[in-house]
Amino acid sequence: MDKLEIIGKPPGMPGTGLVGTLPIRGAKNAALPIQCAALLGSGLTRLRHVPKLTDVSTMNRLLREVGCAVEVIADTDGRTVEIDPRGVAQGSLEAPYEMVKTMRASVTVMGPLLARYGRARVSLPGGCAIGARPIDQHLKGLQALGAKVTLEHGYVDLEAKRLTGGRFLFDKVTVGGTQNVMMAAALAKGHTTLENVAREPEVEELALFLNKMGAQISGAGTPTIEIDGVDELSGIDHAILPDRIEAGTFAVAAAITRGDVLLEHAPVDHMHAIIDTLVAAGAECRVEAGGLRVIGPERLRPFDVVTRPHPGFPTDMQAQIMVLATMADGASVIRETIFENRFMHVPELNRLGANIVVNGNTAVVRGPTKYSGTTVMATDLRASASLVLAGLVARGTTEVRRVYHIDRGYEAIEARLCPLGAQMSRYHGGGA
Ligand code: UD1
């Protein structure tokens, strides 16, 4: 297993800040559902600016498994992925346990397979590191469109000759659930109204993509989505939007190192809650023609954050913003309301010297921390990003193990941060 070694630079000494320009890659959470949506097309879809991440490769593997021809073409700013679904009718129409357990977003093939091929079989995800994460809302929504759902042997089987439009109110705001049901409704017969939907930019991006394929969807980005089902969708050419979470993570890196970094192509319109928090902490955030420039202050102020569905503060930035809080002068309070078990980075940050006390879904963070490097274990994708951030400002060497978690969502993080002045190396075959 790979490990990362970071030689930290405690802020305050000359030359410790990250400085330079960092181009932001395509968004993982936009790419994954759009890869699934390619299943709905009658021909080849070409996706550009696809980030080079293991989750994206896992999704390509799953698409091949269900019968797609998938070609990955390397280019300079990410990759181009061509997905041809024309062989799917003869495929297994199944997302097996091995795939779903590695990447929960695999369940997003369910809606497209069902709508286009009349059948889908998907392993139930089970627990994952950051909480229970059930898919009841996905299934209820698809049932509202006429799907017959059977649960057996840890798998869910769905069937419908042709889905029919309907009205569905989500009990809980879910990004994946909204995307799954919206994709299914795009090919259903008649009109569908989806209420209490997720408003994340990646839902809007998927609706935009589907409309380019020929779907008739309105309201994405608001709490209600209206869909007029169509008979056919075509394969298209599409560029993936830049990643707001990657941009947010690197913005924190700039802020805590007292750096000055231009996050090229950062999708600032989707980052209000993140930018507001950085500004509350005292970082300077300038929206420039090329992207978002973040300048770290001499002294960071404490702040409070509550994670919420978009446009609230994203749960996927909670671990990283906690590192910002640890560097602030005073007490910050961070409350997690989306996932029930998303503080696994806390014991590891505390091993590096942080003072974070967790009570239920609330973390009280007292700073400023003088991090001192040691060996830490990555537990999930965003938790591991927080350990890299802490390592950047720690005295001595921080060794982050189980780097495969980081590679799920950040493209070669060391190759991105080193040109800005970070000292990081990857070693292959480190301990578990
Ligand atoms: C997506 C993102 C993930 C992000 C999350 C919340 C992708 C590939 N992943 O995950 O990075 O952290 O949104 O912004 O886009 N829930 C139910 N029943 C359901 C579905 C969800 O109770 O049927 C609950 C979940 O357990 C969780 C909450 O709803 O507590 C939000 O989950 P959801 O929005 O579905 O997250 P994902 O789509 O899995």
Side-chain angles (χ1 to χ4, degrees):
M1 260 182 266
D2 288 6
K3 63 179 183 183
L4 281 176
E5 239 179 53
I6 307 159
I7 301 175
K9 298 174 187 171
M13 289 183 273
T16 57
L18 297 185
V19 176
T21 298
L22 184 58
I24 298 304
R25 301 292 198 215
K28 168 179 89 73
N29 287 354
L32 295 175
I34 284 176
Q35 286 171 278
C36 295
L39 281 166
L40 292 164
S42 52
L44 183 135
T45 281
R46 181 176 296 112
L47 303 177
R48 287 173 292 107
H49 295 194
V50 180
K52 196 174 157 193
L53 304 171
T54 48
D55 271 12
V56 167
S57 307
T58 305
M59 187 60 85
N60 284 340
R61 211 148 38 88
L62 175 55
L63 291 174
R64 285 191 189 105
E65 193 123 329
V66 300
C68 291
V70 182
E71 183 122 9
V72 180
I73 305 152
D75 50 34
T76 45
D77 55 350
R79 289 171 159 191
T80 294
V81 176
E82 290 182 345
I83 302 166
D84 189 340
R86 278 172 285 198
V88 174
Q90 288 82 47
S92 66
L93 305 181
E94 175 175 325
Y97 175 68
E98 285 310 313
M99 295 273 180
V100 180
K101 97 170 177 338
T102 336
M103 186 184 66
R104 193 191 127 86
S106 306
V107 301
T108 320
V109 294
M110 190 160 61
L113 285 180
L114 176 67
R116 175 94 165 85
Y117 303 97
R119 202 158 51 78
R121 183 172 154 82
V122 173
S123 166
L124 287 169
C128 84
I130 58 174
R133 302 184 88 172
I135 56 164
D136 57 306
Q137 297 300 308
H138 302 232
L139 299 181
K140 281 186 189 169
L142 294 171
Q143 274 173 316
L145 303 182
K148 190 169 149 260
V149 175
T150 322
L151 296 174
E152 225 174 24
H153 308 302
Y155 275 77
V156 47
D157 281 289
L158 299 107
E159 252 186 80
K161 269 216 173 71
R162 168 108 196 245
L163 293 169
T164 45
R167 175 174 283 272
F168 181 67
L169 169 69
F170 285 90
D171 299 331
K172 181 154 193 162
V173 177
T174 150
V175 176
T178 301
Q179 292 170 332
N180 234 334
V181 183
M182 180 169 76
M183 285 191 278
L187 277 184
K189 191 172 167 51
H191 188 84
T192 297
T193 303
L194 302 178
E195 292 174 287
N196 194 29
V197 296
R199 295 159 63 188
E200 266 64 4
E202 295 77 18
V203 171
E204 258 186 279
E205 175 77 357
L206 177 62
L208 182 90
F209 177 82
L210 293 167
N211 284 343
K212 269 168 79 175
M213 293 178 100
Q216 298 202 6
I217 300 172
S218 59
T222 76
T224 304
I225 295 180
E226 305 281 353
I227 304 153
D228 280 311
V230 296
D231 291 336
E232 197 179 328
L233 295 168
S234 42
I236 55 162
D237 193 303
H238 185 79
I240 303 293
L241 92 169
D243 196 321
R244 63 196 168 103
I245 304 300
E246 186 186 87
T249 303
F250 294 142
V252 170
I256 57 174
T257 59
R258 301 184 191 172
D260 181 348
V261 177
L262 176 66
L263 303 162
E264 223 175 26
H265 324 299
V268 285
D269 289 344
H270 300 149
M271 294 177 65
H272 292 304
I274 299 171
I275 293 174
D276 289 351
T277 308
L278 285 157
V279 169
E284 196 179 328
C285 292
R286 288 192 210 154
V287 179
E288 296 185 353
L292 177 68
R293 184 164 166 203
V294 181
I295 303 170
E298 287 288 301
R299 199 168 146 244
L300 285 159
R301 294 188 291 266
F303 54 88
D304 295 342
V305 155
V306 182
T307 63
R308 298 254 187 241
H310 194 77
F313 190 90
T315 175
D316 285 353
M317 272 298 297
Q318 181 255 107
Q320 303 90 310
I321 216 71
M322 194 175 284
V323 178
L324 184 70
T326 62
M327 299 304 287
D329 200 351
S332 302
V333 178
I334 296 178
R335 194 148 66 87
E336 171 61 54
T337 73
I338 308 293
F339 292 112
E340 66 269 30
N341 188 22
R342 208 172 194 181
F343 281 143
M344 282 178 311
H345 42 285
V346 168
E348 299 299 295
L349 290 175
N350 282 346
R351 287 196 64 238
L352 287 166
N355 177 352
I356 307 166
V357 178
V358 171
N359 188 358
N361 70 351
T362 304
V364 177
V365 184
R366 290 192 174 79
T369 299
K370 288 196 161 75
Y371 279 113
S372 82
T374 185
T375 301
V376 284
M377 200 74 91
T379 49
D380 71 56
L381 166 55
R382 306 302 169 184
S384 45
S386 77
L387 301 179
V388 170
L389 291 171
L392 290 175
V393 288
R395 204 163 17 87
T397 303
T398 299
E399 184 181 305
V400 181
R401 297 203 179 167
R402 299 194 178 166
V403 170
Y404 59 86
H405 286 294
I406 304 183
D407 295 335
R408 291 187 58 186
Y410 297 89
E411 189 176 316
I413 195 163
E414 67 282 12
R416 316 285 301 290
L417 291 175
C418 286
L420 304 178
Q423 258 184 287
M424 291 171 72
S425 322
R426 178 183 293 251
Y427 294 94
H428 298 294

